[in-house]
Amino acid sequence: MRLGQAVVDKLRAQGKNPYLVPVGGSSALGTWGYLQASEELRQQTSGMGISDVVMACGSGGTSAGLCLGLHLAMPNPRIAVHAYGVCDDPDYFYDYIDGLLTELGVWDGKGGTSSVPSARGLLRVVQARGTGYAMSTDAELQTMKEVAEETGVILDPVYSGKAIHGLIAEMRASPQAWQGRRVLFLHTGGLLGMYDKEDQLRQLLGGKQGYGHKVERLEVNTTSSSGADVRLQVGDVQHGMMQ
């Protein structure tokens, strides 16, 4: 943030008008994206009895918008929001989200004049970074593999994979705390992070038919319905399901 602000100051001194986009777009303006998403979520889950919403938290904007939006919608009973941090620590995220709430003008920094509480009153932040940001343990990747096999949903290793691993670990450690609750897990994307985990994933998947085999590029020349020549490059798996 300090480096970004230094560049902004330098450009302004040159007579320019820069706009600083923070990490993850997690600014007060960026928070509006998930403020609006919270209303979509509320409409789409109406009547489903959702008690908890769970998501990964990397820079704070998603969590800030969602917890504030659900608070302002005032569902009864309230939906509990759980943010599983994939970097930093819970205190950092509470403080950062408080800053966003202050910039949005919904919290005065003291809690005395607003109906919106501080971040600690809006959501629960859980430490889920494991060995570090974007660093995957075999246990985390194993959880992703099991979720994919059971549901067909592909998680990513940097964000949603760490969050679901942390959630399942908590449920196993304290099943009574989650008993009877209806949990919505918000998948926030990030699948390109899978490429960085190729070696680890190959070890997990290599022993199963259809997984872990070398992919080669195959060029396909064909003609479209309009008569134009079309050249495609696709992956051809030598063994397994795509053979």
Side-chain angles (χ1 to χ4, degrees), residues 42-231:
R42 196 174 65 84
Q43 292 176 1
Q44 293 173 11
T45 60
S46 176
M48 294 176 60
I50 300 297
S51 60
D52 301 78
V53 174
V54 173
M55 81 213 79
C57 181
S59 56
T62 297
S63 302
L66 204 60
C67 71
L68 176 59
L70 291 175
H71 174 83
L72 295 176
M74 293 184 293
N76 188 19
R78 287 208 182 276
I79 296 175
V81 178
H82 311 266
Y84 285 74
V86 302
C87 54
D88 296 297
D89 56 43
D91 285 339
Y92 166 82
F93 286 116
Y94 285 132
D95 291 342
Y96 191 83
I97 292 172
D98 279 343
L100 295 178
L101 297 176
T102 301
E103 287 185 59
L104 286 167
V106 296
W107 190 58
D108 61 3
K110 302 174 184 177
T113 62
S114 173
S115 62
V116 176
S118 69
R120 287 171 172 81
L122 290 174
L123 81 165
R124 170 175 168 262
V125 181
V126 183
Q127 180 62 272
R129 68 183 175 192
T131 56
Y133 177 71
M135 298 172 63
S136 300
T137 65
D138 289 342
E140 289 168 353
L141 295 179
Q142 180 64 30
T143 296
M144 291 171 50
K145 174 177 176 289
E146 292 172 358
V147 169
E149 291 173 340
E150 293 293 329
T151 68
V153 176
I154 307 299
L155 302 170
D156 79 283
V158 180
Y159 300 99
S160 59
K162 283 182 177 288
I164 201 74
H165 181 75
L167 172 64
I168 292 174
E170 280 201 316
M171 288 180 166
R172 287 172 175 166
S174 303
Q176 68 281 357
W178 295 90
Q179 186 68 35
R181 305 195 69 82
R182 194 171 182 86
V183 181
L184 173 67
F185 182 81
L186 181 67
H187 191 328
T188 51
L191 294 180
L192 290 176
M194 299 284 275
Y195 288 105
D196 187 50
K197 309 301 177 186
E198 179 182 355
D199 292 339
Q200 284 179 276
L201 289 169
R202 191 183 299 277
Q203 294 175 16
L204 284 177
L205 304 176
K208 186 170 181 178
Q209 177 67 15
Y211 294 99
H213 301 288
K214 182 180 179 182
V215 177
E216 291 186 351
R217 188 168 297 280
L218 174 68
E219 291 190 9
V220 179
N221 294 292
T222 185
T223 303
S224 70
S225 58
S226 64
D229 289 336
V230 178
R231 187 171 121 182

Side-chain angles (χ1 to χ4, degrees), residues 23-40:
V23 173
S26 293
S27 62
L29 179 62
T31 300
W32 277 98
Y34 268 95
L35 272 168
Q36 293 179 313
S38 69
E39 178 60 18
E40 292 181 31

